[in-house]
Amino acid sequence: MNVNLYDFELPEQLIAQTPLLDRTASRLLTLNKDSGEINHQTFPDIIDFLNPGDTLILNDTRVLPARLFGTKEDTGAKAEVLLLKNVEGDKWEALVKPGKKLKAGSVIVFGEELKAIIEEEGEMGARTLTFTYDGIFQEILDRLGEMPLPPYIKETLDDRERYQTVYAKHEGSAAAPTAGLHFTDELLDQIRAKGVNVAFITLHVGLGTFRPMSVDVVEDHVMHEEYYSLSQETADLINQTKANGHRVFAVGTTSCRTLETVGSKFENGILQASSGWTSIFIYPGYSFKVIDGMLTNFHLPKSTLVMLVSALAGREHIMQAYEEAIQEQYRFFSFGDAMLIY
């Protein structure tokens, strides 16, 4: 299957550069995955598409202030580090710029309190670093680090909490699970009051978010591993929801990938608590095991995320929805509008 099947023309002015003042003020395109019917709503209307007994699964990962700016110790040249994954202790997997200048053995300094030694070189700017410092690493990172906004966002973010969901809890992501940015505590309370279950999983978003597909054939792409965790409490709730004939909605592709990873581990369909690393790649032809619907933002052309939503709703339905979203001037990507596939 050719990657170009998932390409489309996106006017640059539709790429949202800043979050809306009100998280729930986004628009909501609703797509019936069976009929292809499209409707245009506002985000709070999501409650009308959820029934008592349905379950909404959200990713409670918290984004690290993972972008660090420093200098090479020997030359004073500027260097940028984007933390992706804590390997163990003070050793991290990261992306670095400029990659050609930062070889194994290079030392990067960040002010007077933090240094990084490059231990290993990977592909496309990936490095393994070991940090040395005095004090508590997390506190230093909070002071020196910046939010790792995607490269297509050129504006600065005044309030770093706007790149966190209101329910963000477990720190470890290099990017936000952006479908969840639309929720407020008040809206979640209204959803619960309707009799809809709200539960959480954790998936720490990693390298795959920042790395474009570099192959022409979809099946040749290899996803990067990301850490996930699903509790027994959430597993029990999903099992009960399914047994009672209700639906499970994933909030975001990260929640979807976590649920489908766990679903593939238990062939009888009864989920149990699970954690580990997932590199699941969902594209058309995939048979979903857990989710019935999904809330998601609008994604980049030719991305694995467009392929994932096409697996759920069908490529033709997704491409039609995207065409209509562009015509209707929806806002795209991380700070953009949302789509509910049901």
Side-chain angles (χ1 to χ4, degrees), residues 15-284:
I15 301 174
Q17 292 294 318
T18 54
L20 299 175
L21 288 176
D22 176 3
R23 286 177 183 263
T24 65
S26 295
R27 297 164 73 188
L28 179 69
L29 183 149
T30 59
L31 172 64
N32 184 301
K33 67 180 190 289
D34 297 319
S35 68
E37 180 184 353
I38 295 168
N39 285 289
H40 304 286
Q41 326 275 153
T42 57
F43 191 76
D45 295 331
I46 189 174
I47 198 166
D48 297 332
F49 291 83
L50 302 172
N51 299 326
D54 287 345
T55 293
L56 201 62
I57 303 290
L58 304 100
N59 182 4
D60 63 5
T61 188
R62 187 169 178 82
V63 185
L64 291 163
R67 181 165 274 128
L68 292 162
F69 295 94
T71 57
K72 280 191 74 180
E73 188 175 52
D74 56 351
T75 66
K78 291 182 179 180
E80 180 182 335
V81 171
L82 175 61
L83 302 180
L84 294 174
K85 183 170 73 176
N86 184 215
V87 180
E88 60 178 358
D90 294 320
K91 184 176 287 190
W92 286 77
E93 183 181 293
L95 292 179
V96 300
K97 289 182 185 177
K100 292 180 180 178
K101 302 281 189 182
L102 296 166
K103 304 293 187 182
S106 296
V107 178
I108 308 169
V109 294
F110 310 92
E112 298 180 355
E113 54 187 333
L114 185 65
K115 283 187 180 182
I117 302 167
I118 298 179
E119 306 280 1
E120 299 173 26
E121 297 178 41
E123 297 178 355
M124 298 175 66
R127 299 289 187 273
T128 301
L129 313 172
T130 298
F131 286 95
T132 58
Y133 51 90
D134 291 320
I136 299 171
F137 182 74
Q138 192 60 57
E139 292 180 356
I140 295 170
L141 194 60
D142 284 339
R143 285 197 300 274
L144 300 182
E146 295 186 7
M147 275 298 176
L149 296 179
Y152 49 76
I153 293 178
K154 310 303 181 187
E155 299 288 327
T156 56
L157 185 64
D158 295 331
D159 177 8
R160 64 167 61 178
E161 284 301 308
R162 287 312 308 271
Y163 196 57
Q164 305 278 16
T165 62
V166 297
Y167 46 81
K169 185 176 181 182
H170 301 292
E171 205 153 43
S173 268
T178 54
L181 295 178
H182 304 280
F183 288 99
T184 60
D185 290 327
E186 293 76 15
L187 182 57
L188 287 171
D189 285 343
Q190 292 171 24
I191 289 169
R192 291 185 182 99
K194 188 177 179 180
V196 177
N197 304 301
V198 176
F200 299 92
I201 56 86
T202 304
L203 182 134
H204 293 322
V205 188
L207 182 64
T209 295
F210 297 91
R211 186 162 280 178
M213 293 187 74
S214 57
V215 297
D216 295 324
V217 178
V218 171
E219 292 85 350
D220 290 344
H221 180 69
V222 178
M223 295 286 284
H224 194 77
E225 282 192 332
E226 295 166 311
Y227 178 80
Y228 75 90
S229 177
L230 182 142
S231 68
Q232 189 60 51
E233 180 183 12
T234 296
D236 290 342
L237 185 56
I238 292 170
N239 294 335
Q240 180 184 353
T241 301
K242 292 287 194 180
N244 292 338
H246 298 296
R247 299 171 298 171
V248 173
F249 284 87
V251 174
T253 57
T254 60
S255 295
C256 169
R257 293 177 66 245
T258 300
L259 294 173
E260 293 301 313
T261 294
V262 178
S264 67
K265 293 180 67 173
F266 302 103
E267 293 183 2
N268 61 1
I270 306 301
L271 304 191
Q272 298 176 28
S274 178
S275 63
W277 298 89
T278 180
S279 56
I280 190 172
F281 180 22
I282 297 173
Y283 53 87

